[in-house]
Amino acid sequence: MASTSSGAPPVSPLARPLPALSAVRGVRLGAVAAGIRYRGRPDLMLAVFAPGTTAAGVYTKNRCPGAPVVWCRMAQASSPTARALLVNSGNANVFTGRKGEETVRRSAGAVASMLDCAPENVFLSSTGVIGEVLPVQPILDALPAAHQALSEDGWAQAARAIMTTDTFPKAARRETRIGNTPVVLQGIAKGSGMVAPDMATMLAYIVTDARLPQPVLQTLLDEGVQTSFNAITVDSDTSTSDTVLLFATGRADNPPVSSAADPLLNDFRTALDSLMEELALLVVRDGEGATKLIEVCVEGAESDHSARQVARAIANSPLVKTAVAGEDANWGRIVMAVGKSGEPADRDRLSVAINGIWVARHGTVVEGYDAAQVDASMKQPEIRLTVDLGLGQGKARVWTCDLTHGYIDINGSYRS
Amino acid sequence: MASTSSGAPPVSPLARPLPALSAVRGVRLGAVAAGIRYRGRPDLMLAVFAPGTTAAGVYTKNRCPGAPVVWCRMAQASSPTARALLVNSGNANVFTGRKGEETVRRSAGAVASMLDCAPENVFLSSTGVIGEVLPVQPILDALPAAHQALSEDGWAQAARAIMTTDTFPKAARRETRIGNTPVVLQGIAKGSGMVAPDMATMLAYIVTDARLPQPVLQTLLDEGVQTSFNAITVDSDTSTSDTVLLFATGRADNPPVSSAADPLLNDFRTALDSLMEELALLVVRDGEGATKLIEVCVEGAESDHSARQVARAIANSPLVKTAVAGEDANWGRIVMAVGKSGEPADRDRLSVAINGIWVARHGTVVEGYDAAQVDASMKQPEIRLTVDLGLGQGKARVWTCDLTHGYIDINGSYRS
């Protein structure tokens, strides 16, 4: 089995065990130790898809993306299908200039030769140190072994191979239907903080055996990330490599679907959204130094967009996050964060609840609220902060974790 | 002399001693212990201005401002002049609904009666706990003593009376000229983090004996805050009470000035800007848990505005701030922060310098840069991070401090 390096931090107290995973028809995965940075653990993952697999992706909005993100955008633009995905950990291949682009091109070329496909059918991700050149040779050397290792049961190993400072591997699975046809969705993710110490990147890869045209797949992904991966924040920092890819191998013989709005997709969409939410929350649960998972619910906003901005301002506030770490039901800081979001808000309509108990209503403290009960509830590992702006119907949910000494330890220690 | 409470945190390692202060003609200050929250230290400061003193203010952009900020805006809109300023520490009078408004109205009314002026000529600030009702009676009871204590030499006491979690009092002084007339500028400030633990607010009050019309004063203040108080950030959180007020008593017999663009004001403007920068940096130096002062310089941006956004993204990045705390010359995180700002940036034109040494040029690491020298420079208490976007002429400077265990200690501890 894979293990993280000897000096690995303790597993997050919010960790979840890897669920039971099984095959998804049309994809095989192999993971090997290429020795890119880590020793004695897999750091290179190859997934090979059945011909005709459609692929959809969403990528970081960071204006300085890594070379693999630039490559994926190009690959996606040039073809609706994918034959392979190659991911390495230990080096993010970000801010590496022409050498970085060459590593990407040669890696994709080598996989393409092996599979007899176009390089544009190979998707790539890298995660790890920023600014160091990612040498291509270890990858080229390890590729045959990765190819050899390909197996329908390679999921758990793949989940481990993409870890950097993650303290536990992350995966989720759903079984659903399109029409009467059973289909499977399975995904893995990595991320520990939006950016771990020099270890950039939140990555997630989801595969289904459903048969879906690329535009449908892309729409489902675009919509689903809004309430999952785009609704989490650990430290407000945006990685240069964030990537979520969704592959549909088409091995399930489901009825044809031509639009994401087709009611045939209702169950599938629900399953996909719920799987993405589960993966996203696993990333927050592994947030650097996290001891509490925080759900921020904003309602009564002028619009959903406005609600999301307010929720993010709360979730990104260092003062709110340290208060939760200190088990302090500090609603004054929540009010401050609402105000700083710049979104429409009226102090005299604003209400705040902590773990379901309203502590402030219409701009002033609720006289005689049960402070002892609120304080006691702050000791739970999962905290819910609710704000009702009292203005309209807009609402949003965002998840984050608390800000602790652990975060400072992990990020303030000198690079080794 | 004033002293902070017995459990006071140690003075910031970046602290500066209070400079020599002297009188500014046309203003007298008195500070007393009203017992609002603290015991055995002054917590109420009254300043009384000569008739005809003009007043300019800039206030928090937080959408949930405290009652005193709402009052000051009204006061400023209703008259170009001010007769008094009353500031209490210990309670911010924020999110206190109608009771908070009543406290403000009655406080201003009491001062106005004492001075025989309109309540709208009394400016108010409160700083301290959010969400607790600020009782008016202790203020009314203490006002006569504050009035009694008024003195041209009350500046140092006033600087101490407005402290909350500040670890040192903050003041600055400049002597300059308008035409051939010598004029004085003197100011005090408080702030320790944008928001100290439940102790909201960055406040600054500056007085000059110059004779200047209110619109001129307002323009000078609006422009000056851009490169001083609006260019600092401790934790990206925006207080509900931030206030900077500039008063001109008119006691200096300087030549008349009718426009802020008048060349007669060149020296005065320089002195004011430099005084505001000094006060703003004192606030950063007292940032919660700060061990290093960080200057972020962005150049080569498409515009000054764009440069400022990029500089703020860097200064607000928890990953950059923890890296500096760890004395880690982690330029990869600076690149990440540039990218997440969303401003125009081209990875292949981007250059980064740490303490004056270029570590990355045009999108890739500088081969053979003196890493040992850069690492050694990170041990200094003042750190300069420079980014050249290579796109245009826009530039900006922003100051912040590092993010340390001290910040978590201060903000993550349970309210006492």
Side-chain angles (χ1 to χ4, degrees), chain A residues 12-330:
Chain A
S12 164
L14 303 171
R16 287 284 168 91
L18 211 55
L21 300 171
S22 57
V24 180
R25 288 171 294 173
V27 58
R28 293 177 302 145
L29 308 94
V32 294
I36 291 162
R37 182 183 177 94
Y38 307 115
R39 297 282 167 252
R41 54 153 279 193
D43 58 357
L44 188 71
M45 183 275 273
L46 177 68
V48 174
F49 304 104
T53 293
T54 50
V58 292
Y59 307 97
T60 180
K61 295 190 177 107
N62 194 298
R63 296 285 190 112
C64 300
V69 167
V70 175
W71 174 269
C72 283
R73 285 201 176 105
M74 180 281 296
Q76 196 181 319
S78 67
S79 160
T81 60
R83 283 302 311 283
L85 165 70
L86 181 71
V87 185
N88 75 273
S89 57
N91 186 315
N93 195 8
V94 168
F95 218 60
T96 46
R98 280 191 204 153
K99 284 179 186 163
E101 291 164 21
E102 193 185 322
T103 292
V104 159
R105 208 169 46 244
R106 291 185 60 192
S107 300
V111 174
S113 300
M114 231 159 51
L115 301 179
D116 196 19
C117 70
E120 292 75 24
N121 287 332
V122 180
F123 283 69
L124 298 172
S125 300
S126 295
T127 174
V129 179
I130 288 180
E132 286 184 16
V133 171
L134 171 62
V136 72
Q137 203 55 50
I139 295 175
L140 300 182
D141 290 348
L143 267 181
H147 192 248
Q148 200 78 37
L150 288 174
S151 153
E152 284 200 326
D153 301 318
W155 284 88
Q157 276 285 55
R160 288 190 181 89
I162 63 176
M163 290 167 63
T164 54
T165 52
D166 299 65
T167 71
F168 62 93
K170 301 168 183 72
R173 177 180 174 84
R174 293 290 185 280
E175 294 175 11
T176 183
R177 287 178 174 271
I178 297 180
N180 288 320
T181 313
V183 299
V184 168
L185 281 154
Q186 195 161 277
I188 58 176
K190 69 87 48 180
S192 175
M194 282 295 98
V195 178
D198 299 273
M199 298 293 179
T201 313
M202 194 276 305
L203 300 176
Y205 309 106
I206 304 161
V207 184
T208 176
D209 54 0
R211 190 175 54 197
L212 294 170
Q214 200 280 339
V216 171
L217 207 60
Q218 187 68 44
T219 302
L220 291 171
L221 181 64
D222 287 344
E223 292 173 359
V225 295
Q226 296 309 322
T227 53
S228 56
F229 294 108
N230 280 355
I232 63 172
T233 174
V234 169
D235 53 14
S236 80
D237 280 335
T238 308
S239 155
T240 46
S241 307
D242 289 341
T243 297
V244 182
L245 295 173
L246 171 59
F247 301 96
T249 66
R251 281 301 172 269
D253 195 25
N254 56 272
V257 173
S258 60
S259 151
D262 192 322
L264 271 180
L265 285 176
N266 286 355
D267 289 350
F268 184 84
R269 182 196 303 268
T270 302
L272 175 64
D273 288 353
S274 131
L275 178 139
M276 288 204 286
E277 181 179 311
E278 181 175 339
L279 287 176
L281 288 195
L282 288 172
V283 172
V284 178
R285 286 177 177 278
D286 210 2
E288 293 167 342
T291 65
K292 297 194 191 273
L293 179 65
I294 307 173
E295 180 179 276
V296 179
C297 301
V298 173
E299 52 198 50
E302 285 200 350
S303 67
D304 287 354
H305 173 79
S306 180
R308 193 173 303 124
Q309 296 300 106
V310 171
R312 281 189 180 161
I314 297 168
N316 280 329
S317 164
L319 288 169
V320 171
K321 291 152 72 84
T322 48
V324 172
E327 302 185 340
D328 177 6
N330 195 320

Side-chain angles (χ1 to χ4, degrees), chain B residues 64-99:
Chain B
C64 299
V69 167
V70 176
W71 174 269
C72 283
R73 286 200 176 107
M74 180 280 297
Q76 196 180 321
S78 66
S79 160
T81 60
R83 281 302 310 282
L85 166 69
L86 181 70
V87 185
N88 74 273
S89 56
N91 186 316
N93 195 8
V94 167
F95 218 59
T96 45
R98 281 190 203 154
K99 285 180 186 162

Side-chain angles (χ1 to χ4, degrees), chain A residues 342-361:
Chain A
E343 292 297 315
D346 178 343
R347 196 187 54 194
D348 298 335
R349 292 182 184 213
L350 191 59
S351 302
V352 177
I354 294 179
N355 293 320
I357 300 164
W358 293 96
V359 295
R361 279 270 192 205

Side-chain angles (χ1 to χ4, degrees), chain A residues 62-63 65 95 198 236-237 317 326-328 330-331 333 336 339-340 342 347 375 405 409 411-412 414-415, chain B residues 62-63 65 95 198 236-237 317 326-328 330-331 333 336 339-340 342 347 375 405 409 411-412 414-415:
Chain A
N62 194 298
R63 296 285 190 112
F95 218 60
D198 299 273
S236 80
D237 280 335
S317 164
E327 302 185 340
D328 177 6
N330 195 320
W331 59 270
R333 294 186 188 174
M336 173 282 300
K340 84 164 182 170
R347 196 187 54 194
D375 287 351
H405 285 295
D409 281 336
N411 291 298
Y414 203 88
R415 281 175 294 181
Chain B
N62 194 297
R63 295 285 190 112
F95 218 59
D198 299 274
S236 80
D237 280 333
S317 163
E327 304 187 338
D328 176 6
N330 195 321
W331 58 272
R333 295 187 188 174
M336 175 281 301
K340 85 164 180 167
R347 195 187 55 195
D375 288 349
H405 285 294
D409 281 335
N411 290 298
Y414 203 89
R415 281 175 296 181

